[in-house]
Every structure is written in structure tokens, then in C-alpha cells.
């Protein structure tokens, strides 16, 4: 990028292309690709467009009201690419991926060549792809400016195609690697440029630090150093899956007692008492249980011991983002995706999963109910999938929200059995179940979780646990929460009622909206392709103190138009529905 950018540059705006931009875009395309380069024959209308334009996304550069250039993105959900005109996908594996985005027709007005416009447009395209769950990009780069594409981190495939008088090379790149390259090689320059660029995109100009991006932006109202704690009463934190109800009464009473003693007193170095309580309440052998400070603690601890850079892992797509982060970014091994499809209402095709497992994976992750799709799969069906898997395959079953689920997706009595696989896992040789106590038991601020599995694997997890890893308040709260199953069963049943009510309110906001009621404590709201984006809705609601989760970065399956909304108490749910309605009205009428 540095070869193209001078710090004395004039101010450029980078923004999404609008419908009104299409006229000058098509004329500039004709000027460059018909008259200048000879890729296409000139036409009488002096405009150049193609069949992909209806599904393409344009990003434009402008100086004031003067167009400077543009770049186009064909998203994964378009289903076809310009490269298809020249190559067979069967002969080029990268082109057959369901998460492929194509960056195409990067074009700059001749008077602006040599300025920052081209590299900034390329950078904006990569930021847009990452913000919409893209993992792989492809491009056709003109051979005479190939160096610019290579400088951005794209890799030449050696395959060249010719269109008219122009020769292109097929390029590709992993989005995570391109983002890391931008951070490492161009970070200082980008930070210097930021004040000189009017960045009007929905994602920030600079990416965050290399870490998994979670929900919970609502916690930011407390201030980075928690100087604004009273502000928590002003917002609705529907962007993180914390419980809407308080912990069990005994937990609240114990934690509200001698708080000074709780704060200054060391916990047991190893939580044997909590392990015993879990084993008794869940009918598990104590040696099959290992505890952690939340499920992330257990995930990091287990995966670092089980996997290395040569391992193969299968992840559902979409799925909780921590798994891809740990597998690909922390450990650096290969993660394949098992697609879950909106057309199937996100339900996994178990026969297709069985076929996929024949590829012999070292680890298969299943989140049940899945976060973020909210679909619950019957435990018996999962047992059969595990039994049919090739030898040597290990399964990690995340049941953070399983107690919300029931076979009929309707409120179940407190005496109903949990649809958990933890006892099956404890008796198995290849399955571990991870159970968070944070979400279901309203202990998210204290961080408590456990895993159940073969004694050997549980012992390995305990061996990597540091002493005093689970705080005294967390251990006390977890033990006494587990002792009040009737209280929590009532809260889970009430959550299902509140969830249905919230889904009904949201569905009533427009026939063009699609509401998916999960089996957990959230609903999904999907916007029409022709309307506001998920990011736009999230930003609009946030201005009114209602925080929702934009699911776009998790997977291209969401197409940039699905938000996740956590179930809260009745008043907060009412505020959510009212705020979403107001925001949609405002966004629909904004040009």
C-alpha cells in the first residue's frame, strides 16, 4: 500500500455504493474496459454492466461529489462468479468453496491513478468481506498491475485467462491471513491515514486486535475502567446470551452476605467440592469431571493438548466463533466447515454429516443447541452419529444452553429429564461434553463451567488447570445453584414463554421480516435483501440504548442481514420490539 499512498493526499471518502452511483460506475467501466483496455467492444449506450450486477456489492471512492473509483464484490450467497466465465470450478478447488467471495473490477478514474484510491478500495473490499463472514477471496488481477494485488497479500495461482485484449491472473487468499498482513505490514500507515480518509463503511476502518470477536458490546457502557456502572440501567443488553433472571435465592443470599470476606479470602486451590457436587447432581463419576472458569477456559485448555498444526477439525457453520479462533488462529490447524443452511431452517443433515465424517477428522465440534442458529438436535440422533464415526475421531459437544431445549420446543415441567449427553460422554472413549454454568445458572459474571468425559481426558484437563483458577464466589455460587434445580427449571420454562412472545412481536413488524425462534434464549431476525443491513439495524438500535448482535462476521450464511436478539424480561423485551420497529421505519425511509 505504501507504494501508492502519500500522506499529503487529498481527503477521499470510502463508502458503500448506492443505486444512484450505478450510472457513473457503468460509464466508467465502459470508458476503461471498452475504450482504454479493449476487454469489451464499445457500445452505443457508453455503459458497461453484466448479469452479476444485481447481486454485487459496490464500494466507491469519492472526492467531495466527484467520483474517483470503485470496486465490486460478489458475495458467497450470489452463487456464481465472473470467474465462472473463464474457468471450471471443478479444476480449481478454491472456487468450489461455499464461503468464497470474489473481488472484481477494481477501477479508478485515469486522473486519480497513482493516488491512494486503488489500495484504499482494495482494503475496503477486504474489510467488507471479513465483516460478512468471508474466509476466502478470489480475484482476476490484470497482469500489468499484478504487483498491487500481491502487495495486498493475494497469491497468484499461475492460472491466466484472456478477455479481449486483457490478460488476467487468478489470485486467491485467506481472509484471516490478509487481515494479519494488513495489520503487520501496513498498520502504522493505516493509522496515519485514518484521519485523512472519510470512512463511511459500516465496519471500522481499523480492525480490532487479533482475537475472537464476541457479543457483549453493551458492557462498554460501563466504561473501559468501569467508571460508569450506573449506566447499566440505561441499556438493554440483548447482544450477549446472559440470563435475564437472577441466580437462585440461596446464591444471592450467600454472595450478598459478607462481601468483604468473599473478596479477600482465597478459594480452595482445586475445586474438589464443586466437582463432587456436579458428580452427585449429574450422576457422573467424579473422575469424569473437570471444572473451569467458563467454557472458554475449558476449550483453550483441552484443544491445546489435543491438536497441533497437522490436525484436522470439523466445525459447523455457523457456530460459536471461539472454536474457529482457537483452532485456526491459536493452534493454527485446518478447520473444515459443515454447512448449516437457512433453507433447512439451520437443521443439520445428519446423513450428510455421517458422509463428511468419513474424511477422518481428529476433532468434531457440535454445539447443541447450536449458537448462533439456536437449533437443538435430539441426543439419541447424535449418539448414533458418534457411534458411526471412524475410529480415532474425537467429539466435543458444547451444551451451554441445553437446559432451555426440550423435544417439543414447548415449556416442559421441572421434572423433565435434561436432553444432555454428559452421562454418555463419561462412559465413552471419544466424547466430551462441555457444560457452562454461566449462562443457564445466571453466573456469567463469576465464570464457572465443567466438562464430562472419559476419565483420562478429564484428568488431562485437570492437570492443565492452575491452582485457584476458580474464584471463591464462583465456587460457592455454582455449588448452591446446582442445589436448586426447581428454581432454575421454572426460569427456563418462563424463558421459553418470553421467547415465543418476543418472536411474535418481532414477526409482526413486517411481512418481509423472517423470525427464527431458537431452542435457547434468543431469536434470530432476518431482514430482506433489499432493505437495511444487519449492521445498520444494530447501529440504529444502539443509539437508543438497545444492543443486538450482528451475526454477519460469523458466517456468510447470514448474508449480512441477520441479527440475534437475546430474551430479556418482559419490559426489556417490549423495549427491544419497540426500538427495532422505530429503527426499521427510520432506515427504510432513509435514502
Amino acid at each position: 500500500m505504501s507504494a501508492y499512498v502519500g500522506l499529503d493526499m487529498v481527503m477521499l471518502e470510502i463508502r458503500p455504493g448506492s443505486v444512484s452511483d450505478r450510472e457513473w460506475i457503468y460509464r466508467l467501466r465502459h470508458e476503461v474496459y471498452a475504450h482504454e483496455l479493449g476487454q469489451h467492444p464499445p457500445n452505443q449506450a457508453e455503459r458497461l454492466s453484466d448479469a452479476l450486477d444485481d447481486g454485487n456489492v459496490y464500494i466507491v471512492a469519492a472526492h467531495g461529489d466527484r467520483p474517483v473509483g470503485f470496486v465490486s464484490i460478489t458475495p458467497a450467497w450470489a452463487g456464481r462468479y465472473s470467474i465462472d466465465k473463464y474457468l471450471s470450478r471443478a479444476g480449481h478447488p478454491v472456487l468450489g468453496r461455499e464461503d468464497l467471495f470474489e473481488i472484481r473490477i477494481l477501477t479508478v478514474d485515469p486522473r486519480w491513478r497513482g493516488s491512494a484510491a486503488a489500495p484504499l478500495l482494495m482494503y475496503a473490499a477486504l474489510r467488507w468481506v471479513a465483516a460478512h463472514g468471508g474466509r476466502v477471496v478470489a480475484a482476476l488481477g490484470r497482469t500489468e498491475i499484478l504487483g498491487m494485488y500481491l502487495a495486498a497479500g493475494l497469491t497468484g495461482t499461475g492460472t491466466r485467462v484472456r478477455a479481449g485484449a486483457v490478460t488476467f491472473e487468478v489470485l486467491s487468499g485467506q481472509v484471516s491471513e490478509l487481515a494479519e498482513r494488513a495489520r503487520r505490514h501496513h498498520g502504522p500507515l493505516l493509522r496515519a491515514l485514518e484521519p485523512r480518509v472519510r470512512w463511511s463503511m459500516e465496519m471500522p476502518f481499523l480492525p480490532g486486535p487479533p482475537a475472537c470477536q464476541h457479543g457483549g458490546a453493551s458492557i462498554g457502557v460501563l466504561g473501559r475502567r468501569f467508571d460508569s456502572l450506573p449506566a447499566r440501567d440505561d441499556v438493554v443488553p440483548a447482544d450477549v446470551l446472559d440470563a435475564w433472571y437472577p441466580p437462585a435465592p440461596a446464591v444471592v443470599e450467600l454472595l450478598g452476605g459478607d462481601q468483604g470476606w468473599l473478596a479477600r479470602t482465597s478459594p480452595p486451590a482445586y475445586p474438589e467440592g464443586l466437582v463432587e457436587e456436579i458428580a452427585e447432581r449429574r450422576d457422573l463419576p467424579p473422575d469424569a469431571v473437570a471444572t473451569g472458569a467458563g467454557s472458554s477456559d475449558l476449550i483453550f485448555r483441552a484443544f491445546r493438548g489435543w491438536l497441533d498444526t497437522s490436525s484436522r477439525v470439523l466445525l459447523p457453520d455457523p457456530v460459536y466463533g471461539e472454536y474457529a479462533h482457537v483452532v485456526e488462529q491459536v493452534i493454527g490447524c485446518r478447520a473444515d466447515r459443515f454447512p448449516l443452511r437457512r433453507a433447512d431452517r439451520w437443521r443439520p443433515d445428519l446423513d450428510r454429516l455421517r458422509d463428511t465424517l468419513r474424511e477422518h477428522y481428529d476433532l468434531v465440534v457440535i454445539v447443541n443447541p447450536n449458537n448462533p442458529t439456536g437449533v437443538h438436535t435430539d441426543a439419541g440422533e447424535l449418539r448414533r452419529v458418534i457411534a458411526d464415526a471412524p475410529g480415532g475421531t474425537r467429539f466435543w459437544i458444547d451444551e451451554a444452553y441445553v437446559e432451555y431445549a426440550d423435544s417439543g420446543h414447548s415449556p416442559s415441567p421441572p421434572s423433565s429429564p435434561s436432553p444432555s449427553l454428559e452421562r454418555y460422554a463419561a462412559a465413552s472413549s471419544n466424547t466430551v461434553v462441555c457444560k457452562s454454568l454461566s449462562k443457564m445458572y445466571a453466573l456469567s459474571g463469576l465464570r464457572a463451567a465443567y466438562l464430562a468425559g472419559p476419565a483420562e481426558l478429564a484428568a488431562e484437563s485437570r492437570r492443565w488447570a492452575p491452582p485457584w483458577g476458580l474464584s471463591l464466589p464462583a465456587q460457592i455460587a455454582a455449588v448452591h445453584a446446582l442445589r436448586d434445580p426447581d428454581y432454575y427449571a421454572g426460569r427456563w420454562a418462563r424463558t421459553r414463554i418470553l421467547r415465543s412472545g418476543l418472536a411474535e412481536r418481532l414477526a409482526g413488524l413486517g411481512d418481509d421480516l423472517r423470525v427464527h425462534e431458537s431452542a435457547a434464549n434468543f431469536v434470530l431476525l432476518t431482514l430482506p435483501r433489499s432493505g437495511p443491513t444487519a449492521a445498520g439495524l444494530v447501529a440504529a438500535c444502539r443509539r437508543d440504548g438497545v444492543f443486538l448482535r450482528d451475526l454477519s462476521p460469523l458466517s456468510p450464511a447470514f448474508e449480512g442481514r441477520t441479527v440475534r436478539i437475546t430474551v430479556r424480561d418482559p419490559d426489556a423485551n417490549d423495549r427491544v420490539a419497540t426500538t427495532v420497529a422505530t429503527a426499521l421505519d427510520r432506515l427504510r425511509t432513509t435514502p
Side-chain angles (χ1 to χ4, degrees):
M1 180 179 282
S2 58
Y4 296 90
V5 180
L7 291 180
D8 58 346
M9 59 174 279
V10 297
M11 176 71 75
L12 288 177
E13 180 182 15
I14 305 295
R15 59 174 174 78
S18 65
V19 173
S20 61
D21 288 314
R22 292 297 178 107
E23 182 60 31
W24 70 259
I25 287 173
Y26 296 156
R27 290 190 177 277
L28 181 56
R29 281 173 67 174
H30 187 272
E31 177 185 340
V32 172
Y33 296 98
H35 288 303
E36 180 182 349
L37 298 177
Q39 181 183 352
H40 301 280
N43 61 61
Q44 190 172 3
E46 295 284 316
R47 299 168 78 257
L48 191 61
S49 62
D50 59 38
L52 292 175
D53 279 319
D54 287 342
N56 276 4
V57 173
Y58 279 95
I59 299 173
V60 303
H63 175 52
D65 58 0
R66 178 188 295 181
V68 170
F70 64 87
V71 66
S72 180
I73 303 165
T74 304
W77 51 87
R80 55 179 179 163
Y81 306 96
S82 69
I83 295 177
D84 292 337
K85 294 184 292 185
Y86 309 105
L87 299 171
S88 166
R89 294 196 207 180
H92 298 79
V94 69
L95 303 183
R97 294 183 50 147
E98 294 193 19
D99 54 2
L100 177 71
F101 287 64
E102 183 183 6
I103 298 175
R104 60 188 299 253
I105 48 179
L106 173 63
T107 308
V108 175
D109 186 292
R111 292 164 291 185
W112 288 86
R113 291 176 190 165
S115 74
L120 281 172
L121 284 167
M122 176 63 77
Y123 176 71
L126 293 173
R127 294 287 295 125
W128 191 93
V129 171
H132 290 78
R135 303 183 190 101
V136 180
V137 294
L140 289 175
R142 283 196 292 128
T143 52
E144 57 265 41
I145 58 170
L146 206 57
M148 186 189 69
Y149 290 93
L150 298 177
L154 292 171
T155 302
T157 64
T159 299
R160 296 195 172 188
V161 299
R162 192 165 180 83
V166 183
T167 301
F168 297 93
E169 180 160 345
V170 180
L171 304 128
S172 66
Q174 296 285 331
V175 172
S176 59
E177 295 175 3
L178 295 170
E180 180 63 11
R181 180 182 178 87
R183 188 183 72 84
R184 286 181 178 271
H185 293 273
H186 306 304
L189 179 61
L190 288 168
R191 286 190 290 273
L193 284 174
E194 186 175 18
R196 297 174 175 268
V197 178
R198 184 180 174 190
W199 184 262
S200 301
M201 303 295 292
E202 290 179 329
M203 72 292 302
F205 180 69
L206 294 173
C212 180
Q213 300 301 306
H214 291 287
S218 52
I219 199 69
V221 302
L222 305 183
R224 290 177 63 87
R225 301 186 184 184
F226 309 106
D227 296 322
S228 306
L229 290 178
R232 68 185 183 274
D233 297 326
D234 299 329
V235 303
V236 178
D239 59 332
V240 64
L241 299 181
D242 294 339
W244 61 270
Y245 45 85
V251 174
V252 173
E253 181 180 356
L254 288 166
L255 295 183
D258 192 340
Q259 297 172 355
W261 177 83
L262 285 172
R264 69 175 181 263
T265 301
S266 295
Y270 299 100
E272 288 95 345
L274 176 56
V275 169
E276 292 170 0
E277 191 72 32
I278 293 168
E280 179 180 337
R281 298 290 169 180
R282 297 293 192 249
D283 191 22
L284 297 168
D287 63 357
V289 176
T291 60
S295 58
S296 290
D297 176 24
L298 295 169
I299 294 167
F300 273 78
R301 200 191 308 165
F303 286 21
R304 64 169 289 184
W306 296 350
L307 305 173
D308 59 32
T309 55
S310 67
S311 302
R312 293 189 66 197
V313 179
L314 184 66
L315 303 176
D317 181 31
V319 76
Y320 177 50
E322 194 77 71
Y323 289 109
H325 172 69
V326 174
V327 170
E328 296 178 322
Q329 305 303 315
V330 178
I331 296 168
C333 65
R334 173 179 168 181
D336 290 344
R337 264 66 176 193
F338 180 77
L340 306 173
R341 299 186 172 108
R342 187 192 306 274
D344 301 329
R345 294 192 60 79
W346 306 115
R347 294 198 171 280
D349 183 331
L350 298 185
D351 290 334
R352 185 163 52 90
L353 178 57
R354 286 186 180 90
D355 291 340
T356 303
L357 292 179
R358 292 173 186 161
E359 295 293 323
H360 293 278
Y361 289 95
D362 298 293
L363 179 66
V364 178
V365 173
I366 297 173
V367 180
N368 194 38
N370 187 38
N371 174 26
T373 67
V375 170
H376 178 255
T377 303
D378 178 75
E381 294 180 354
L382 286 180
R383 284 196 298 268
R384 288 187 285 275
V385 169
I386 295 170
D388 291 342
T393 304
R394 186 172 288 170
F395 287 82
W396 177 275
I397 314 295
D398 184 330
E399 293 185 344
Y401 308 95
V402 74
E403 278 84 9
Y404 285 126
D406 67 285
S407 58
H409 299 294
S410 60
S412 56
S415 59
S416 294
S418 169
S420 174
L421 283 171
E422 55 194 338
R423 286 194 288 275
Y424 169 85
S428 77
S429 61
N430 68 335
T431 303
V432 167
V433 166
C434 180
K435 296 290 290 283
S436 172
L437 298 174
S438 300
K439 308 299 186 183
M440 301 297 308
Y441 289 85
L443 303 177
S444 290
L446 296 174
R447 313 304 303 152
Y450 69 92
L451 62 77
E456 179 183 356
L457 297 183
E460 181 181 333
S461 179
R462 291 193 298 269
R463 187 163 59 249
W464 282 105
W468 307 292
L470 207 55
S471 73
L472 182 60
Q475 292 190 43
I476 291 173
V479 166
H480 288 273
L482 288 166
R483 291 179 179 177
D484 198 346
D486 289 342
Y487 168 80
Y488 286 104
R491 296 300 85 196
W492 302 333
R494 177 62 174 159
T495 299
R496 292 192 284 271
I497 295 171
L498 292 172
R499 183 184 68 210
S500 294
L502 177 61
E504 185 176 356
R505 284 285 304 276
L506 294 170
L509 300 182
D511 293 338
D512 57 348
L513 303 177
R514 295 293 176 265
V515 177
H516 172 74
E517 184 180 345
S518 80
N521 63 331
F522 59 88
V523 299
L524 303 185
L525 175 66
T526 297
L527 308 172
R529 287 182 177 173
S530 59
T533 64
L537 177 61
V538 167
C541 290
R542 187 174 297 183
R543 287 192 288 270
D544 292 328
V546 171
F547 286 74
L548 315 177
R549 178 78 189 275
D550 175 11
L551 297 180
S552 305
L554 285 179
S555 172
F558 290 120
E559 302 183 11
R561 56 194 184 98
T562 298
V563 298
R564 190 189 69 192
I565 305 175
T566 307
V567 175
R568 309 302 304 172
D569 63 68
D571 290 342
N573 288 345
D574 182 68
R575 183 176 168 188
V576 166
T578 301
T579 302
V580 169
T582 301
L584 287 175
D585 287 343
R586 188 162 60 238
L587 291 168
R588 285 163 172 159
T589 57
T590 301

